[in-house]
Amino acid sequence: MSILPDSNNYLFYVFKSGGVFLYILLVCSVIFVAVTGERLYFYFRNKFNYDSALRRFSILLSEDKFNEINAMLDSSDKIQLLCARAILMRKTSPKDEIEDAVQAVMERVLLQFEKRVFILGILAVISPFIGLAGTVVGIMRAFADIAVSSSAGAAVVAGGVSEALIATAAGLLVAIPASAFFNYFRAKIKSLRSELGVFCAELIELVVRIERGDKPIDVLEIS
């Protein structure tokens, strides 16, 4: 019969009961925390106000203040501005050439946001199976102990099975938040792709208008 230890030794009891699979899941949980923390920090650091930036570019471009534009681009660490730099460097080129050039830069920017997100998807998929494997091995061990035990009451069976299920519970505790954050980041990337695409299209239109001598209009009216 399994005897539940006191609270001081419970953590040791849990890992001993879960076996090697629980240590694998512990490594998975550390990876989950590290990746999620790094991605949240990266997204927070690169939070970007597209409308404000577009209005700022509109004012500076209409006044031919290219030194201020370069200073703004050099002083900012927002990776979205790499797209703006690519557009402004080719402001005298035909519109289709600017669009082709900035598309490649956009993809590089988006790759930075997608970086390491796939790891969360992998953890969300494999963690329940690792936990299940630990449970199966634990149940096999529990029934093997029952086979050689002189007493095979319900308490013996229940104790062995409850210990085996620790691995499944641990697997779910890793998989559920990993799946949630994976889907959260995927949704953010999808939203970012749309916002960045609109920003680049409007900035290209703004640059083209100014280069051909038109007065810049309100950026929110650019189609």
Side-chain angles (χ1 to χ4, degrees), residues 16-217:
K16 183 179 178 181
S17 301
V20 67
F21 294 97
L22 210 59
Y23 288 95
I24 296 174
L25 289 170
L26 177 62
V27 173
C28 290
S29 68
V30 171
I31 295 172
F32 160 73
V33 171
V35 172
T36 303
E38 186 274 335
R39 288 290 85 191
L40 287 173
Y41 174 73
F42 180 83
Y43 278 60
F44 174 78
R45 187 164 58 85
N46 286 283
K47 191 175 181 180
F48 191 71
N49 189 323
Y50 293 94
D51 288 340
S52 176
L54 203 58
R55 289 185 182 277
R56 181 65 174 162
F57 281 124
S58 176
I59 294 170
L60 295 177
L61 285 169
S62 63
E63 297 175 358
D64 291 330
K65 294 183 177 180
F66 294 104
N67 288 335
E68 291 190 26
I69 292 175
N70 290 329
M72 183 177 71
L73 293 175
D74 292 338
S75 63
S76 178
D77 62 350
K78 309 293 185 183
I79 64 173
Q80 292 92 333
L81 287 178
L82 291 174
C83 296
R85 186 185 294 275
I87 293 170
L88 295 171
M89 286 176 61
R90 297 168 176 82
K91 59 187 178 65
T92 58
S93 302
K95 185 178 179 180
D96 56 345
E97 290 185 14
I98 300 175
E99 290 173 341
D100 290 341
V102 79
Q103 184 62 39
V105 179
M106 278 181 57
E107 292 302 321
R108 289 202 299 270
V109 169
L110 290 168
L111 281 174
Q112 292 300 311
F113 283 90
E114 294 174 353
K115 199 173 181 180
R116 286 185 282 274
V117 171
F118 75 94
I119 296 175
L120 298 178
I122 293 174
L123 292 176
V125 171
I126 68 171
S127 294
F129 291 105
I130 295 173
L132 181 60
T135 294
V136 171
V137 172
I139 290 176
M140 290 172 60
R141 186 172 59 246
F143 278 103
D145 292 341
I146 292 171
V148 298
S149 175
S150 57
S151 60
V156 175
V157 176
V161 171
S162 67
E163 292 178 5
L165 290 175
I166 289 174
T168 293
L172 292 175
L173 286 174
V174 176
I176 292 172
S179 178
F181 276 102
F182 174 74
N183 286 288
Y184 167 75
F185 288 130
R186 295 302 299 174
K188 290 286 288 184
I189 292 166
K190 183 178 179 180
S191 175
L192 173 67
R193 182 179 291 275
S194 298
E195 292 175 346
L196 190 57
V198 171
F199 170 74
C200 291
E202 291 183 341
L203 184 56
I204 290 171
E205 184 66 25
L206 181 62
V207 167
V208 169
R209 284 175 180 270
I210 291 175
E211 282 300 310
R212 70 178 178 224
D214 295 344
K215 284 289 185 181
I217 61 175

Side-chain angles (χ1 to χ4, degrees), residues 3-14:
I3 301 174
L4 190 66
D6 57 50
S7 58
N8 294 330
N9 298 320
Y10 186 70
L11 188 60
F12 173 76
Y13 164 79
V14 166

